Structures are given as C-alpha cells and as structure tokens.
Amino acid sequence: MATITLNRSNYYHNLNQFVLKTGSKDKIAIVLKDNAYGHGILEMAKLSSEFGLKRAVVRKVNEAKLIDTLFEDIIILGGEVEPNPKYSYAINSLEQLKTLPKDAKIELKIDTGMHRNGIAMDEIDAALSIIKQKEINLNGIMSHYASADELGSEYFFQLQNFRTAKAKTLEAGFENVRFHIDNSAGAIRCSAFEFDLVRLGIGAYGYNHMDDSFDDFTLKPVLNLYAKRVATRALEKGQRVGYGGEFIAPKDMLVSTYDVGYGDGWRRGNALNPFITADSGAILGRVSMDFISLEGDKKEVCVMEGAMSAARHFQTITYEITCALHADIPRKIVD
Ligand SMILES: *Cc1c(COP(=O)(O)O)cnc(C)c1O
C-alpha cells in the first residue's frame, strides 16, 4: 500500500511561524477542509489540537462532527446549517440570513472584491438590520482575499473595504464580533497583523505561494508520498514497459512496479514528459490506475517529498496535488 507521512516537526515549525506573525495561537483557525488539503483530517486535527490550536475551519458540517471534540470553535464555510454552540456558519447572502434556523451562530461573509461569495458592500446595512431584527447570533464578520499572494493593488482595495465593513458593524452597535479576512498569503504579507484571526490553510501544510518579490518566509512541507514495491523484472535493452509501451529500455536494466497510480489520486501526466520521483528517478512509461514503474528494486520509494515539485511538473498548485490524494491511503505521523 502507498503511504503518506505527515511530519510533525515541520508542521509545528509552520504553525510557529504564523504564531510569530499573528502574536497568538488563539488567532489561528486551522483550515481542515477537504480532508485537510488531502493530508488527512483526523491526523491533522489531532496534531493541531496537541499544538494548542482551538479553532478550525471546514467546508461542511459532517467534517465538523469528525473533529469537534478537539476544538472550541469551528467555522463551517458552506452546506447545511445545523446549530451547535461550537459551530459558526459562513453566511453568503441576504436570503440565507432570512432563512436561518433559530440558534444558528454565524460569520457574515462580505464580498470585498473577490466576487465569488458573500454579500455586497452596499448590502451590509441591510444585513445588519436583519441580524438585529431576527436576533441572530453574529459571531464574526469575514471576507476572503482573491490575490494576497501577488503584488498589486487588489489586496489593498479589499483590505480597505474590509476596514469599512468593520467600522459599519461597530457603528451599528455590535459587540463581541470578531473580524477576519486573512488566509495564509494575507498573514505572510502583512507587517503588523491587524485582525482577530487568520484562516490558515496552505501555509500550515508547508507551502509558500507568494511572489518572489515578498520577503522570505520559510515553511516546510508536511506531507511525503511513498509507494511499495510489488514486483521486479530484468529488462533487456529495447523491451517496453506499461500501457502503450511508451518507455523503451535504453539498456539492460532492473525495473520494479510500485503500488501508487491515478486511482490513488496521483497524476497520470504524460509519459513523454515523466515526473522525476524524489529518490528513484523518472517514472517509466505510463502511470496505471494502481501502479507506476521505476528503475531499480528498492523496497519502498519516495514518490514526492512535499508537493511543490509535482505542482511545478504538472503545472498546477500544491493545493490540487495534495487534495487529490485519496483518503484511504494510510497516513503515518513521523518526526
Ligand atoms: C480555503 C480557505 C482559506 C485558506 O486559504 P489558504 O490560501 O489555503 O491559506 C481561508 N479562507 C477561506 C474562506 C477558504 O475557503
């Protein structure tokens, strides 16, 4: 079976970097949505709680139910609203506000410029009056950056809008409301952390996607992917490997099959431009559903050490590489 290792010390290094940025563990809400970006929600929730984090963010209530004994406070970004004192639901529209079940606790989401989710800036007053009138428990006001990792003015435009939203909320007399807009990139780029929380995702898992022009902020990848040897054969020069026979042995060589493939969420890619594994050279020929072939006969190989090399190779982002890894691959915590 393929295995994913989760490096505890790298994870804690990353969390500490963000504690230094924000000033407190209490200001970190660890984003565990989508199986903790493919790392494994139970394992990452447990490590986060052992580190001392009290807040988490998930996409759906069923994810919250898996981890709610480990946290004091869980933000749920979408889906069904099931009131629970620990759960706070991101609300994206005035319609949603009007149809909330009694006792629901909410984080009102403001569209400060990403134009994906949230109420418009000119709907804030209407939203706050519905909240007052219906006595809805307003726990937070939130927004999301479209491009905090890129140089450019969009970030400042959104930040300014969010400050306006905060001022309006306070003017309307709301107390005990928290304000949060930052994701990993927002927290990395700010010089003095301004709000109450960072919703920390990709940075915790060890990836810094900032433009090179930003200051160095060293993060360490948490996840490695390993595969075990299934079989070994000696190939003669000219023999082919795998579907379509796209790899032709350039010499007599030893080739082994390892137990990871696109059925596990590994990319199939293009056999003519093979991915180079972390410790065993290029993948030979096509990736099968459950197997890859590599030169040599090591018992276990490291397919990727962190997801950056795969993200570059497959021209995507690390999020997509790690999220794709199936939940049934065993996860092992290492130091
Ligand atoms: C996924 C998500 C985050 C985390 O973003 P990263 O870039 O991974 O840090 C924060 N906030 C919201 C609303 C999200 O959906």
Side-chain angles (χ1 to χ4, degrees):
M1 197 59 179
T3 314
I4 287 169
T5 58
L6 303 168
N7 188 300
R8 184 193 332 250
S9 25
N10 286 3
Y11 186 50
Y12 289 178
H13 164 87
N14 301 334
L15 294 179
N16 275 319
Q17 290 281 79
F18 286 94
V19 172
L20 289 175
K21 268 281 178 187
T22 60
S24 163
K25 287 180 183 174
D26 289 349
K27 288 197 170 180
I28 294 179
I30 183 69
V31 182
L32 298 173
K33 67 187 178 192
D34 297 282
N35 200 28
Y37 291 42
H39 289 64
I41 186 169
L42 296 178
E43 292 81 2
M44 296 313 296
K46 184 168 152 278
L47 288 176
S48 307
S49 155
E50 283 169 8
F51 179 83
L53 301 187
K54 300 187 189 116
R55 308 178 205 291
V57 181
V58 295
R59 186 148 68 137
K60 289 172 281 188
V61 69
N62 61 331
E63 295 170 308
K65 286 176 185 168
L66 294 173
I67 57 169
D68 62 7
T69 55
L70 295 168
F71 296 96
E72 284 176 9
D73 164 22
I74 301 180
I75 298 172
I76 301 175
L77 295 170
E80 292 302 306
V81 175
E82 287 180 35
N84 176 310
K86 281 190 179 180
Y87 300 173
S88 195
Y89 288 90
I91 297 301
N92 282 297
S93 68
L94 296 181
E95 287 65 51
Q96 231 186 330
L97 264 185
K98 290 176 192 156
T99 56
L100 274 176
K102 222 176 126 30
D103 302 327
K105 190 163 74 166
I106 68 159
E107 313 280 315
L108 181 65
K109 191 156 182 187
I110 316 286
D111 178 6
T112 52
M114 182 169 181
H115 304 319
R116 187 181 63 172
N117 288 320
I119 63 160
M121 288 297 293
D122 62 10
E123 292 176 325
I124 295 176
D125 294 329
L128 293 176
S129 73
I130 296 169
I131 288 168
K132 269 192 185 154
Q133 194 191 347
K134 291 192 67 185
E135 297 180 0
I136 293 167
N137 183 352
L138 180 65
N139 191 49
I141 298 277
M142 65 184 280
S143 189
H144 194 42
Y145 284 124
S147 52
D149 51 350
E150 294 167 18
L151 276 180
S153 59
E154 183 63 19
Y155 164 86
F156 297 101
F157 174 75
Q158 287 196 256
L159 175 59
Q160 210 45 53
N161 275 340
F162 195 61
R163 287 182 180 141
T164 304
K166 177 173 175 177
K168 275 177 185 274
T169 311
L170 297 177
E171 270 163 34
F174 286 93
E175 288 168 1
N176 302 321
V177 175
R178 59 187 182 179
F179 298 89
H180 47 105
I181 184 168
D182 292 284
N183 57 352
S184 302
I188 292 173
R189 78 180 278 164
C190 73
S191 44
F193 190 71
E194 176 174 341
F195 297 106
D196 300 312
L197 281 184
V198 51
R199 299 183 308 270
L200 176 60
I202 199 73
Y205 302 105
Y207 305 103
N208 183 343
H209 280 278
M210 306 300 284
D211 267 7
D212 293 341
S213 42
F214 291 104
D215 287 348
D216 256 6
F217 189 79
T218 308
L219 298 170
K220 300 180 179 177
V222 171
L223 167 154
N224 288 355
L225 175 66
Y226 294 86
K228 287 209 176 62
R229 189 182 57 163
V230 180
T232 300
R233 67 207 70 246
L235 289 192
E236 286 167 23
K237 182 178 173 184
Q239 286 186 314
R240 293 163 178 263
V241 172
Y243 287 115
E246 283 195 68
F247 177 77
I248 304 170
K251 56 176 189 211
D252 291 354
M253 62 194 285
L254 212 54
V255 170
S256 299
T257 310
Y258 292 88
D259 63 352
V260 73
Y262 61 80
D264 302 291
W266 176 249
R267 285 292 192 99
R268 180 168 175 276
N270 174 357
L272 299 176
N273 175 26
F275 177 75
I276 313 293
T277 60
D279 69 6
S280 296
I283 292 177
L284 307 180
R286 287 190 198 159
V287 170
S288 306
M289 192 179 293
D290 299 318
F291 304 106
I292 55 173
S293 297
L294 297 168
E295 184 169 11
D297 63 352
K298 278 174 81 164
K299 261 183 86 175
E300 190 174 52
V301 296
C302 182
V303 179
M304 63 168 177
E305 206 172 81
M308 200 58 110
S309 58
R312 287 207 185 98
H313 180 83
F314 296 110
Q315 294 179 349
T316 181
I317 50 177
T318 56
Y319 300 72
E320 195 188 22
I321 297 292
T322 62
C323 280
L325 297 171
H326 286 196
D328 65 0
I329 302 174
R331 269 74 172 165
K332 194 168 91 185
I333 294 166
V334 298
D335 280 300

